[in-house]
């Protein structure tokens, strides 16, 4: 997928986020915001969890994929969409395509977990299997595009996808006024860029901090140096956050994000278990990353109203991290 | 605890359920009703899950305990409350007592799981440990009562407790009109008796069926024979449903419940996993028992609107049944 620096015009605006909200309104779930008096007492703050684990296909990814699919012209849509993904984006795009009634192809590594393959094919997409390397995935996707002339929807470095993810923040701010701080996990930066854009447009006084696993800290290093640095052999339990921050994503993050902090895997596992045990909801490791920053005392939240995005709930129940 | 047949006057009425709703209103959570289009499609029905796994102390038990504690006169309350419990009722009573600011003693078997002991003592109750037999528990409780003159709150065979559990159905019926059927898991019968009373009073056309594990089928056998038969060496993964149906509970069940069906443990585990994976919420095995009746095709729900009580979410994450 392309990697050139975007022009100003290619970055999504708040208008694009509002248009996305309109476009996906009939399809995406307006997820609930949940609170927990136990966790509030534990951290001395008021915490508001935006539950994208309850979103269609189990993660916020459906918003961006849905916005991209329903942004296509009739002509483009007819030819279908494609992406490469070993995770939530593939299933999200497959479902969005099914809702519009158009073909979808997902390039997946041959060794992807069966449950992920089942989700993608369950939503009616065609899977093209490839070797488990990024190069093989990109080559296979190029080949698919050359053969079928489908529209590629990148998992995060795509303005329509970023605008779609921003709708998470629109709903959160509507439901919870006067937030002091909003926290997101960060991997490729689709969620963080969209949420930061919407938060700072709608509620400029609200702080915006992204939280990243120590073992995949390219976004943090890029943010500190001002230069987009790639992930090198990332390793973390938060398997949704292994990717490097995208070009468009980084441009928006530099403009709108106040800080990026890192957490270690034991804190992520502890935070994940806290959510499961205290809130009785399933979240995947990546979704517990913002709360891990509180567990590790990396962000001062005492007495503050803090919104946190629980990004997804797709977890293999046979392989829990404790 | 006493075991004599109750007089008519000792059974709770719909008025008691309404009074309980008033009494516990400021304390109990009005839990959400959740739906799942995936599960609806799977079973060809409209399913409405009343999420008592989100209740305070993690189970519906808090409603009954809270109603009992706040029903006490000032004089009785001052002396405190006591019960024996190895499960959710002990924690629920401890929390209710703390909210009223009165002492609470819970008799627990020495071998109860640490997590249960921690919950009870975490809410500030005193634990009296005893040998792990029903006889030892009852003897110890009698001893506690003799020494301290506290009020005993039975886990289910108590009109105040039954009326409290009935508030689950009030909320469900308020939120979801025109239910064809309501399903509850059944153990001691506190939930089933209270819900049946409220359902048949508020919505006489709605069917009311209790679902019981095959390995602890005393309620089903009692219902069929018309005679209250005890549980004999019950064995099931649904550890909240091992107890025998109470006297008051059985009287109400005979009057208001349309049927009791049984399910096996594999179906319970399958149903529990369906709820976790598809709805992204934690429920304990007992809570999955009604859905297990659909998994095993024991109840015809096709085309019907079915309310189901997810009774609790207290599960040991280190000992999952799959």
């Amino acid at each position: 997928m392309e990697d050139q620096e975007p022009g100003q015009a290619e970055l999504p605006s708040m208008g694009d986020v509002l248009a996305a909200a309109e476009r996906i309104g009939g399809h995406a779930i307006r997820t609930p915001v949940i609170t927990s008096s136990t966790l509030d007492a534990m951290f001395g703050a008021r915490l508001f969890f935006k539950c994208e684990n309850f979103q269609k296909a189990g993660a916020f990814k459906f918003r961006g994929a849905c916005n991209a699919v329903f942004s296509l012209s009739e002509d483009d849509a007819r030819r279908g969409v494609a992406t490469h993904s070993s995770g939530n984006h593939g299933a999200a795009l497959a479902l969005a395509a099914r809702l519009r009634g158009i073909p979808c192809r997902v390039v997946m590594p041959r060794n992807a977990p069966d449950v992920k393959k089942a989700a993608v094919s369950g939503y009616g997409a065609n899977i093209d299997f490839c070797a488990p390397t990024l190069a093989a995935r990109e080559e296979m996707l190029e080949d698919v595009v050359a053969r079928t002339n489908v529209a590629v929807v990148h998992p995060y470095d795509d303005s329509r996808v970023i605008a779609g993810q921003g709708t998470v923040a629109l709903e959160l701010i509507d439901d919870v006024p006067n937030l002091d701080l909003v926290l997101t996990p960060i991997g490729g930066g689709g969620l963080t860029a969209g949420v930061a854009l919407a938060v700072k447009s709608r509620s400029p006084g609200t702080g915006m901090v992204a939280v990243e696993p120590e073992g995949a800290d390219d976004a943090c290093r890029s943010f500190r140096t001002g230069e987009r640095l790639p992930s090198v052999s990332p390793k973390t339990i938060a398997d949704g956050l292994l990717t490097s921050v995208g070009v468009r994503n980084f441009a928006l993050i530099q403009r709108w994000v106040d800080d990026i902090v890192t957490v270690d895997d034991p804190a992520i596992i502890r935070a994940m278990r806290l959510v499961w045990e205290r809130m009785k909801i399933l979240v995947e490791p990546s979704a517990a990353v913002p709360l891990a920053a509180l567990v590790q005392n990396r962000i001062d939240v005492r007495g503050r109203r803090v919104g946190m995005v629980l990004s997804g709930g797709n977890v293999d129940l046979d392989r829990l991290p404790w």
Side-chain angles (χ1 to χ4, degrees), chain A residues 193-222:
Chain A
V195 166
L197 171 62
V199 164
K200 294 297 186 175
S201 305
R202 268 287 166 93
S203 177
T206 301
M208 174 72 214
V209 175
V211 187
E212 193 172 37
E214 247 171 44
D217 66 345
D218 65 289
C220 183
R221 287 184 291 114
S222 303

Side-chain angles (χ1 to χ4, degrees), chain A residues 108-188:
Chain A
M108 295 184 89
R110 231 170 267 119
N111 63 350
D114 285 343
V115 57
K116 304 272 183 188
K117 295 176 191 167
V120 169
S121 59
Y123 291 130
N126 268 304
I127 304 181
D128 296 290
F129 290 108
C130 66
T133 68
L134 184 58
R137 282 159 63 158
E138 291 185 335
E139 195 181 317
M140 172 79 85
L141 182 60
E142 273 172 36
D143 181 57
V144 166
V145 171
R147 279 191 291 115
T148 59
N149 200 18
V150 291
V152 170
V153 180
H154 191 281
Y156 49 87
D157 200 346
D158 180 310
S159 291
R160 303 160 301 182
V161 170
I162 295 170
Q165 321 305 28
T167 61
V168 170
L170 285 188
E171 296 174 7
L172 175 62
I173 289 172
D174 271 3
D175 286 357
V176 189
N178 303 320
L179 284 171
D180 295 308
L181 190 60
V182 170
L183 305 180
T184 54
I186 183 163

Side-chain angles (χ1 to χ4, degrees), chain A residues 21-32:
Chain A
E22 188 81 17
R23 198 173 284 122
I24 72 177
H27 304 295
I29 291 171
R30 188 186 170 101
T31 55

Side-chain angles (χ1 to χ4, degrees), chain A residues 212-254:
Chain A
E212 193 172 37
E214 247 171 44
D217 66 345
D218 65 289
C220 183
R221 287 184 291 114
S222 303
F223 189 75
R224 299 259 178 275
T225 59
E227 190 184 350
R228 199 170 66 95
L229 304 167
S231 252
V232 183
S233 327
K235 191 170 167 1
T236 169
I237 185 82
D239 57 342
L241 307 179
L242 293 166
T243 45
S244 300
V245 167
V247 174
R248 291 163 189 77
N249 312 273
F250 189 54
L252 289 165
I253 286 165
Q254 284 187 293

